[in-house]
Amino acid sequence: MIRLRKLRQEKKLSLKEVSEELKRFGLNISPDGLAKYERGDREPKLETWQKLAEFFGVSVQYLQGISDVPNANSSLAAQTSEALLQSIDDETLDKLADKNLPDEIPAETKKELVNTLKSYKAILSLQGDSSLDATGVTKVLQEYYLVIQQALRGDEEAKQAFSEISQVLNGYIQNQTKKLNSIFDELSKKSEKKSKKSSK
């Protein structure tokens, strides 16, 4: 994890100093443990990634080397992410996931991720600019991605979280579908009544 070492060195901190500072973030990692993260000898858990990113003031993706944007949670990046998501049709989302997600991610997991993006897209379009803003969506998607990564690495807790998230999202989508169907049924009945009255 070259970026972890680079960020620490930019702050001119020793491993021991970082270890001490991280305690304020509720993270108890020994200097030796940090050195193992820096060398790539050990992989941090999801919560540790998040706390390290928070400590250094960068996104988790930047810290992991996935993104070259140090703070993907910036307002501009979040707004761009939201606008991009809303501008992509569902078919294109499927194609992008198929071509751009790593091959080691199982097809079923890719499908779940795409369905999640479609769900958020639908939520955004239904709710307009409510409390679910671009920054919140970006953060949730980042956290969801981290859960998927940890699950793929065999983390049982992450596998359980992924399963629970999927169930909640599927339940939400089913409820929304029922509500929409109910609205359409009601509109259809009203339309039929109008047709019957006008035909008399």
Side-chain angles (χ1 to χ4, degrees), residues 39-199:
R39 290 191 307 266
D41 293 343
R42 190 163 62 182
E43 184 76 20
K45 291 191 176 220
L46 174 62
E47 182 183 1
T48 304
W49 277 117
Q50 291 169 331
K51 299 271 185 174
L52 287 169
E54 182 182 350
F55 173 75
F56 286 109
V58 297
S59 70
V60 173
Q61 287 83 353
Y62 179 79
L63 192 58
Q64 292 176 321
I66 295 169
S67 168
D68 291 329
V69 180
N71 190 353
N73 287 331
S74 70
S75 176
L76 179 60
Q79 289 171 7
T80 303
S81 298
E82 181 184 82
L84 181 62
L85 179 61
Q86 289 181 325
S87 71
I88 298 174
D89 62 84
D90 289 351
E91 186 178 332
T92 304
L93 265 177
D94 291 328
K95 289 177 184 174
L96 285 171
D98 189 48
K99 292 180 180 176
N100 294 306
L101 290 174
D103 292 337
E104 59 266 12
I105 296 178
E108 186 178 305
T109 304
K110 287 181 183 182
K111 185 177 178 183
E112 288 289 335
L113 180 58
V114 170
N115 287 339
T116 301
L117 288 172
K118 289 176 184 177
S119 300
Y120 279 115
K121 184 178 167 188
I123 291 167
L124 287 171
S125 67
L126 289 173
Q127 294 188 343
D129 54 342
S130 66
S131 61
L132 191 63
D133 65 1
T135 303
V137 171
T138 301
K139 185 173 189 226
V140 168
L141 289 174
Q142 288 174 342
E143 291 170 353
Y144 187 62
Y145 179 72
L146 288 172
V147 169
I148 291 170
Q149 281 185 318
Q150 294 295 341
L152 288 171
R153 291 186 178 117
D155 184 314
E156 291 301 320
E157 188 177 344
K159 286 179 183 178
Q160 180 64 32
F162 177 75
S163 173
E164 290 172 9
I165 291 168
S166 296
Q167 288 174 1
V168 169
L169 286 173
N170 288 335
Y172 174 80
I173 291 168
Q174 288 174 358
N175 285 337
Q176 292 304 311
T177 302
K178 286 178 186 175
K179 287 179 185 177
L180 288 173
N181 286 337
S182 174
I183 291 168
F184 289 132
D185 288 344
E186 189 65 34
L187 290 172
S188 178
K189 287 176 185 176
K190 286 180 181 180
S191 177
E192 285 177 20
K193 285 181 182 179
K194 280 186 178 181
S195 294
K196 286 179 182 179
K197 284 183 180 180
S198 64
S199 66

Side-chain angles (χ1 to χ4, degrees), residues 11-27:
K11 286 191 169 212
K12 298 182 184 350
L13 295 171
S14 68
L15 288 167
K16 185 176 180 180
E17 289 169 326
V18 172
S19 175
E20 291 298 317
E21 291 288 324
L22 287 172
K23 288 179 183 172
R24 286 192 239 168
F25 286 78
L27 200 56

